[in-house]
Amino acid sequence: MVIYTVQPGESLYTIGRQFGLTPEEVLAYNYVPNGQIIPGQALIIPADHGSHLVLPGDSLYSIGRMHGVSVEELLEMNPSIQDPDKIYIGQTINIPSAFVLDKPIDVSGYVYPNVSQEVLEKTLPNLTYINPFSYQILPDGGLEPIQDERIIQAALEQNVAPMMVITNIRQSDSFNSQLAHEVLNSPAAIQNLLNNIETVLKEKQYYGLNINFEYLFPSDREAYNSFLQQVYARLHPQGYWVTTSVAPKTYEDQPGILYEAHDYPAHGENVDQVMLMAYEWGYAFGPPQAVAPLNKVEEVVQYAVSVIPSEKILLGMPNYGYDWTLPFSPGSTARSITNENALRLAQQQGARIEFDPIAQAPFFNYYDSRGHEHVVWFDDARSIAARLHLVKKYNLGGLSYWNLNNYFAQNWQVLNDAIEVNHVL
């Protein structure tokens, strides 16, 4: 597989001809709205290698970025290049296929109970675990039930391990600090919660438990650590897998209610797996930027592997983008958009897709019918491949997606070409 970036003036015919493919064969591997490719769009090409004609302004770094490979991989594929800083206009650079991880990895993903059966059936073959979201805790340690039977049954039929998810969300509202405080500081509530968790695990045939407590009071840090120890001591001897989801920290004492109660070393010690929620730098209520900029994500990974065994870490992966109205003003809200709908919108608006070299993420601008400018940040094969490189570079245990209610074929094509999914059932 080669990741190819569409250049202005190119067509499916001219691109396919470079690889000995018909336009129909290129289309079969890619989502192309109305059959019209977009300048800057990333395409998946089913080839062992490709080529790139050096243009003015090109460097090995920019060429690698365009095709989702590193400078080192380009040099290995092009031994005639003695000096990576010296390439010339008109030179043909051989492009290797996307890298391959040398070991199976775990792939996890969250879904809401209303995920369509079609999306569920197409997604499950790519997963190790699936996490129906979510059982909400109650102040007395009770649990708000969810309609998860359909998801569990489909998962088990495809040998995917279902994971029970508990959250401190209050009545479908939002993560609630006070709710978590009441439970974490009540021995009676904790025992009731543990009993209820164990009952659901057994009755629903869950493989294990994912604890996704967010926005905890900083003063509840030790209470949360103690809770994790109690959960693990209760469930692990029975063979249940215990995981947590943690905020994207870059150092231990990072301030903020999102971060302070998440003690990375304690999680690494007291659970089987830790999911880094390495996304939402670009978010609905914030200024425009990539949802998961590579430079920021890597900072989180670097800290995480310094205090958590790397094989216990799953790197969080977003499966969405945002559409912001410009100029951004505090209090405004961006519109969530799927990656495929972002491509459709770019095609409808005649936009050219750009690629940020630092964030390693695509974006485009357009004007709506009222003349307001917008910017859309989303994901494509290049940004996905860039984050996959982190899994290899830091020897991580795998990936965790938020969320998989929408099917993004290009994501799974990149993954299936690069990895072997681990299965625990």
Side-chain angles (χ1 to χ4, degrees), residues 59-71 74 95 360:
S59 66
L60 282 185
Y61 176 75
S62 67
I63 293 169
R65 186 182 72 230
M66 180 182 298
H67 297 283
V69 297
S70 68
V71 171
L74 287 175
I95 307 298
Q360 291 281 288

Side-chain angles (χ1 to χ4, degrees), residues 43-112:
L43 297 178
I44 296 291
I45 303 295
D48 293 332
H49 68 277
S51 62
H52 177 94
L53 189 67
V54 177
L55 301 174
D58 279 349
S59 66
L60 282 185
Y61 176 75
S62 67
I63 293 169
R65 186 182 72 230
M66 180 182 298
H67 297 283
V69 297
S70 68
V71 171
E72 291 75 18
E73 289 167 319
L74 287 175
L75 290 171
E76 185 176 346
M77 189 74 176
N78 296 271
S80 62
I81 300 177
Q82 300 299 315
D83 186 342
D85 294 324
K86 293 182 179 179
I87 58 175
Y88 55 87
I89 296 171
Q91 181 179 4
T92 297
I93 306 294
N94 293 318
I95 307 298
S97 62
F99 71 98
V100 177
L101 294 177
D102 55 6
K103 66 172 186 178
I105 65 170
D106 289 351
V107 180
S108 177
Y110 293 90
V111 291
Y112 287 109

Side-chain angles (χ1 to χ4, degrees), residues 283-287 324-325 327-334:
Y283 65 105
F285 306 107
W324 284 269
T325 302
F328 171 77
S329 58
S332 63
T333 304

Side-chain angles (χ1 to χ4, degrees), residues 164-184:
M164 177 186 180
V165 182
I166 61 170
T167 61
N168 59 314
I169 295 175
R170 187 185 289 274
Q171 296 178 342
S172 301
D173 182 16
S174 59
F175 288 96
N176 190 282
S177 309
Q178 183 60 33
L179 171 60
H181 174 78
E182 293 174 14
V183 173
L184 294 175

